[in-house]
Amino acid sequence: MKRLLLIFFLTFSALSNLYAGGGEEISARVSDKELIHTVEYKPKTLSVMLSDFFETTGIYAMLEPKEGLKNGDGEQMSRFSQSIGRIIMFVVVFILFYLAIVKEFEPLLLLPIAFGGLLANIPVANMTAPDGFLGIIYNMGIANEFFPLLIFMGVGAMTDFGPLLSNPKTAMLGGAAQFGIFGSLLGAAALSQYTPLADFTMKQCASISIIGGADGPTSIFIASALSPELLGAIAVAAYSYMALVPVIQPPIMKFLTTESERRIVMPRPRSVSRREKLIFPIIIVMMSALILPKSAPLIGAFAFGNFAKESGVVERLSTQMQNSLINIVTIFLGLGVGSKLQADKFLVLDTLGILVIGLFAFAAGTASGIIMAKIMNRFSDEPINPLIGAAGVSAVPMAARVVNRVGAEARPGNVLLMHAMGPNVAGVIGSAVAAGVLLSIFK
Amino acid sequence: MEVNLVVEAFKFMILGMLAVFAFLYLLVLAMKVEAKVIERYFSDKKSSFAAEESEDEEEERRRVAAIIAAVIEYRKS
């Protein structure tokens, strides 16, 4: 049997040698579909076939980086990002997997983003090209800012504006926290202007600073509009810090408030009628239409989701927005954002700058929310616990839960959750307005 | 011309914070007006939790008493 096989193999290779006699070597690199269609197959020897095949493997592509190889967007990749860069990115992706699975950092988005990053760094396959798996997803809904809007619609369908309507003035806290956005814009600009650490353009500064809004979809919306090249790093920073809200916020909250302020009990919120809730989304749409139409896509999608929920007559639609639709879009959004975690885009000094500025943005947003709440507490007839100002950074509902926890630590049984939800949802509107302002400046 | 990013960013900040606060302030006003209008002209007891909660307990007790009395009467007949 063995002999038979051997004979067969020998004849086969002899024959193939014969046929190939003097045949030219054609490149086995068949990454381009047109190449496959236009170039006719020419017989080759087995040895040539084997070596050609070896040249198409990922091992070869990473060991022997080619000068001038282009990435999915047609830009040249350095030898570093073709070889070691990819390996570093695999490590980064595994760290993100760890954070998502073991630490449960926003796993719903971090996991698809990280997996998209894994796929994006596979050599040869070129999945981030416009006709590749990730490239198709990216162009379908991220390059044109579509997916973040669908997410916003789902978030709107999940949001209850009752707490905000019962105590309208807490909306101002959601405004103060947007200082996180503009404060870090100033920080990013100062870093680029006066230090050699970073060299961001004004558009890049603006899209980095939106991390301070603590709102994933808004960050992605702005980044894809103003500086798509930074999208990967910005999305990763935004979602990681949102997951870190319970770690970042409490020290700042405790530092800025006194024990007695944290112990303040707020009066029970008044109940809100269904009519009020139903009219509210119409009000915010009309306001964005009149004042800031650039924010209308974000606010409009959000208000539509909320209107569908509060109307009570289209439960089928609002259920879809809250469940299937937002879940499907989350998968695509994650993978599409992950496609920007390519070595040549992510492994740059800018990423480090984005992570640092993003952290600062979060801290500044929290701090200014609390300071605003302290000022309001001084001038308001009803007591306001300054802690609820920290919920003004969006990060719904995590930030409100953190406020509730810190408040309960100071005075067991003091439930601040509902009071904190007001600034929390106002923060979503506030960051959408801030995003609209940034867009209206540049366009 | 060299653009000073910090000066630009500062202008962004002024404009942005003004816009955010103006928007939210108007929103607060709108919410207050909305609450007043609805309370005055459309206060619908059934859809309002407030109405349910503020209902007099005495009233509730009387109603229960009336129901019990009616049931007893019904059984007698």
Side-chain angles (χ1 to χ4, degrees):
Chain A
M1 190 67 197
K2 258 186 193 168
R3 238 172 117 182
L4 202 71
L5 264 178
L6 195 71
I7 290 168
F8 176 73
F9 186 75
L10 280 177
T11 27
F12 180 75
S13 52
L15 273 174
S16 56
N17 263 327
L18 200 73
Y19 276 111
E24 316 148 48
E25 261 187 49
I26 57 156
S27 166
R29 300 186 58 82
V30 284
S31 56
D32 212 342
K33 275 187 196 139
E34 286 167 27
L35 203 68
I36 302 176
H37 290 306
T38 51
V39 176
E40 253 179 58
Y41 174 74
K42 283 183 190 148
K44 303 178 259 190
T45 63
L46 190 65
S47 56
V48 172
M49 263 185 160
L50 279 174
S51 75
D52 280 359
F53 178 74
F54 177 67
E55 280 177 25
T56 67
T57 59
I59 302 169
Y60 179 83
M62 286 199 275
L63 287 178
E64 294 280 326
K66 279 207 180 68
E67 201 66 59
L69 186 76
K70 290 187 172 124
N71 68 7
D73 301 324
E75 294 153 7
Q76 290 210 347
M77 293 173 83
S78 66
R79 293 170 68 95
F80 168 78
S81 52
Q82 287 178 48
S83 50
I84 316 269
R86 293 193 200 272
I87 294 163
I88 297 175
M89 281 315 293
F90 287 144
V91 175
V92 169
V93 162
F94 280 106
I95 294 172
L96 292 177
F97 283 153
Y98 171 80
L99 292 178
I101 296 167
V102 182
K103 296 276 173 185
E104 296 198 27
F105 279 14
E106 298 280 332
L108 286 177
L109 261 149
L110 221 45
L111 196 114
I113 289 178
F115 211 94
L118 182 63
L119 297 182
N121 281 292
I122 293 176
V124 186
N126 225 358
M127 279 188 241
T128 57
D131 58 352
F133 173 43
L134 298 174
I136 292 171
I137 293 177
Y138 181 82
N139 288 325
M140 183 166 70
I142 297 180
N144 54 19
E145 303 148 34
F146 179 52
F147 289 157
L149 296 176
L150 289 181
I151 298 268
F152 240 59
M153 204 162 83
V155 173
M158 288 193 246
T159 302
D160 178 12
F161 280 108
L164 181 65
L165 286 162
S166 77
N167 197 356
K169 63 175 178 293
T170 54
M172 302 311 282
L173 298 172
Q178 306 315 318
F179 185 77
I181 293 180
F182 295 103
S184 54
L185 176 61
L186 204 60
L191 270 186
S192 318
Q193 184 80 30
Y194 298 119
T195 70
L197 293 175
D199 187 25
F200 296 120
T201 64
M202 207 60 214
K203 280 188 179 180
Q204 287 174 330
C205 288
S207 38
I208 297 165
S209 66
I210 206 83
I211 298 174
D215 199 80
T218 314
S219 306
I220 294 172
F221 185 81
I222 291 292
S224 55
L226 296 180
S227 55
E229 68 279 6
L230 299 180
L231 179 64
I234 288 176
V236 167
Y239 281 105
S240 314
Y241 289 142
M242 267 166 71
L244 280 172
V245 158
V247 182
I248 300 173
Q249 286 199 318
I252 304 169
M253 291 156 82
K254 286 179 183 158
F255 178 73
L256 287 172
T257 53
T258 63
E259 179 73 24
S260 61
E261 280 173 328
R262 287 200 292 278
R263 291 171 62 87
I264 292 177
V265 179
M266 293 180 67
R268 199 160 161 266
R270 88 180 162 85
S271 334
V272 174
S273 69
R274 200 187 123 204
R275 271 209 184 87
E276 269 184 88
K277 288 187 185 174
L278 183 60
I279 293 170
F280 183 75
I282 303 294
I283 291 181
I284 53 173
V285 169
M286 290 318 289
M287 284 186 54
S288 84
L290 295 175
I291 300 171
L292 199 61
K294 281 280 176 194
S295 69
L298 282 170
I299 289 185
F302 188 71
F304 171 56
N306 192 251
F307 192 63
K309 170 184 170 252
E310 299 297 353
S311 72
V313 290
V314 286
E315 211 191 317
R316 274 164 45 188
L317 303 190
S318 89
T319 313
Q320 289 308 308
M321 288 179 208
Q322 291 176 39
N323 298 290
S324 325
L325 182 61
I326 201 170
N327 291 341
I328 292 169
V329 176
T330 303
I331 295 171
F332 287 150
L333 187 76
L335 287 175
V337 169
S339 76
K340 292 288 154 184
L341 293 188
Q342 299 159 64
D344 54 326
K345 298 238 168 65
F346 194 81
L347 291 179
V348 284
L349 204 58
D350 288 358
T351 302
L352 209 60
I354 290 169
L355 290 174
V356 173
I357 297 167
L359 185 62
F360 170 77
F362 252 69
T366 306
S368 46
I370 293 173
I371 291 167
M372 180 77 181
K374 286 177 83 143
I375 297 171
M376 278 173 68
N377 183 35
R378 194 149 300 172
F379 294 104
S380 146
D381 335 320
E382 285 176 1
I384 292 173
N385 191 318
L387 290 179
I388 68 167
V393 301
S394 324
V396 182
M398 183 103 75
R401 288 208 194 116
V402 170
V403 169
N404 192 48
R405 209 188 62 214
V406 177
E409 269 171 29
R411 181 194 283 271
N414 190 7
V415 182
L416 293 173
L417 187 65
M418 272 304 144
H419 300 287
M421 280 311 284
N424 212 184
V425 295
V428 178
I429 300 173
S431 44
V433 172
V437 173
L438 290 176
L439 284 181
S440 69
I441 293 174
F442 287 113
K443 284 182 181 171
Chain B
M1 194 188 82
E2 184 72 15
V3 184
N4 188 327
L5 291 179
V6 178
V7 175
E8 291 303 305
F10 193 71
K11 287 188 265 181
F12 278 33
M13 185 163 81
I14 305 269
L15 175 68
M17 288 313 282
L18 276 178
V20 169
F21 272 120
F23 191 94
L24 289 175
Y25 185 68
L26 288 175
L27 190 63
V28 171
L29 289 184
M31 280 191 277
K32 284 185 175 163
V33 170
E34 183 203 350
K36 285 226 174 79
V37 169
I38 286 183
E39 201 182 340
R40 177 166 301 173
Y41 300 105
F42 302 97
S43 73
D44 180 8
K45 295 224 158 153
K46 268 184 190 160
S47 68
S48 155
F49 294 111
E52 273 170 35
E53 278 163 8
S54 66
E55 211 162 23
D56 217 320
E57 264 184 50
E58 187 62 32
E59 178 77 16
E60 185 66 25
R61 231 176 280 148
R62 263 188 219 147
R63 198 182 291 168
V64 172
I67 292 169
I68 291 170
V71 169
I72 290 169
E73 276 305 303
Y74 175 78
R75 282 193 185 154
K76 269 186 200 164
S77 62

